[in-house]
Amino acid sequence: MSPVAMQELKKYQGVVKPVWCPGCGDFSVLTATYQAMAELKLDPAKCVIASGIGCSGRFPAYVNSYGFHGVHGRVLPTAQGIKIANPDLTVLAVGGDGDGLAIGGGHFAHAARRNADITYVMLDNQIYGLTKGQPSPTTMPSLVEYKKSHQPYGIIEDRINPVAMALAYGASFVARAYSGKVAQVLDLIKQGVSHKGFSFVHVLSPCVTFYPTYDFFRQVTVPVPETHDPTSRLDAITLSQTPGKFFLGVFYQHDGPDMTERMQLVKAKAGRGDIDAIAQAYVQS
Ligand code: SF4
Ligand code: MG
């Protein structure tokens, strides 16, 4: 990387040094985020990174932008609220699998169906890393057997498929990356941020300490086939449910009005004036 490019990247690095375990998959996503912000020439003063709870929850502290480290499972309501308050901001929601699919699972559907113009990056390590390795909604039963030392009792629940879930909920951009392939993480974050509407970027991000899955994902991740039509939600759902494979790339993309545009439309139809005036009146009442 050229010295100029390095200098450009530093603009997006926070002053707090990451405390993640060496080798944690989250480092790739952080590096890709710096690079994506630099390549998209985002102004740090106009970016907000919201996070939930878990190892990934520390993300905002490591980026030079505005940040909101919220409570467990509430990353999506927080991010949507920020976007509604100031639609000019670029808003990233960063959270883990436990945060976004267990305690916060109910918010996923509503952020997707509102088509809020935010990018939801899910760092999925298939485990509760911060609390030392309990099974999460995406833990794979077969791997639990494999890693008996970490999960001596196994689990009795089936895993959630976050990509299939996002597609079924109506998300307008759905993609998957793997931390072991940082160039693709970068590409998909950039595409997600550039897409107008709710973008879901699922990142397979191994926890080296409690659930070391690098070898496993190296074997089972394959590119989305070139023949795949990303405008077909049905084909994307089928692809996301292929047994034994984790496809990487863009599953689905659809362009349409986002949450802010829909709100403006409703206000215009209702003949109630502009959104700022209504908000002002509400505050003063
Ligand atoms: Fe990463 Fe796991 Fe360490 Fe958390 S516990 S920082 S997820 S390697
Ligand atoms: Mg997790």
Side-chain angles (χ1 to χ4, degrees):
M1 190 179 288
S2 73
V4 177
M6 277 298 287
Q7 213 44 46
E8 214 23 53
L9 227 55
K10 276 194 189 310
K11 196 165 113 187
Y12 299 98
Q13 293 171 356
V15 288
V16 180
K17 296 289 166 228
V19 294
W20 292 323
C21 311
C24 174
D26 294 0
F27 279 106
S28 300
V29 186
L30 185 62
T31 304
T33 302
Y34 295 148
Q35 184 94 25
M37 292 173 83
E39 290 186 18
L40 295 171
K41 298 191 188 315
L42 298 181
D43 177 355
K46 291 199 166 166
C47 295
V48 184
I49 299 188
S51 71
I53 295 296
C55 293
S56 61
R58 298 190 58 82
F59 214 93
Y62 305 149
V63 182
N64 177 32
S65 69
Y66 286 97
F68 195 115
H69 190 171
V71 293
H72 203 190
R74 309 298 170 228
V75 62
L76 287 176
T78 306
Q80 289 171 87
I82 293 166
K83 189 70 185 178
I84 289 171
N86 188 347
D88 292 338
L89 298 174
T90 297
V91 181
L92 259 76
V94 178
D97 41 303
D99 184 89
L101 299 169
I103 188 170
H107 298 299
F108 199 172
H110 305 290
R113 75 192 180 93
R114 287 178 192 130
N115 206 24
D117 187 17
I118 60 176
T119 305
Y120 182 24
V121 182
M122 180 178 284
L123 282 69
D124 183 1
N125 55 8
Q126 294 89 34
I127 209 82
Y128 285 93
L130 191 70
T131 47
K132 304 198 171 164
Q134 298 84 356
S136 82
T138 53
T139 307
M140 290 162 282
S142 57
L143 285 191
V144 169
E145 277 302 304
Y146 176 59
K147 290 286 163 201
K148 266 201 160 44
S149 56
H150 296 305
Q151 302 294 342
Y153 307 111
I155 55 171
I156 55 169
E157 297 147 318
D158 290 334
R159 62 177 279 272
I160 282 176
N161 179 334
V163 167
M165 198 167 162
L167 289 163
Y169 285 158
S172 58
F173 179 91
V174 181
R176 183 194 279 134
Y178 160 51
S179 280
K181 295 186 174 169
V182 67
Q184 189 171 38
V185 181
L186 162 66
D187 176 46
L188 295 177
I189 290 178
K190 273 171 60 187
Q191 287 196 54
V193 171
S194 304
H195 172 77
K196 184 177 58 120
F198 183 76
S199 305
F200 178 60
V201 181
H202 180 223
V203 186
L204 302 165
S205 185
C207 168
V208 286
T209 303
F210 296 110
Y211 206 42
T213 50
Y214 280 113
D215 285 347
F216 173 76
F217 283 124
R218 210 168 283 130
Q219 289 163 31
V220 298
T221 49
V222 286
V224 164
E226 282 180 18
T227 51
H228 172 63
D229 173 9
T231 65
S232 167
R233 192 179 292 277
L234 205 54
D235 287 357
I237 290 175
T238 304
L239 199 65
S240 73
Q241 295 187 310
T242 310
K245 281 185 185 163
F246 286 77
F247 286 104
L248 305 178
V250 177
F251 283 72
Y252 181 76
Q253 182 164 18
H254 170 77
D255 294 324
D258 69 358
M259 179 176 67
T260 306
E261 289 169 336
R262 293 176 190 188
M263 285 172 71
Q264 297 287 7
L265 198 66
V266 168
K267 302 290 182 200
K269 272 189 185 160
R272 293 166 70 188
D274 97 13
I275 193 166
D276 292 337
I278 292 167
Q280 203 56 38
Y282 183 77
V283 169
Q284 286 168 356
S285 67

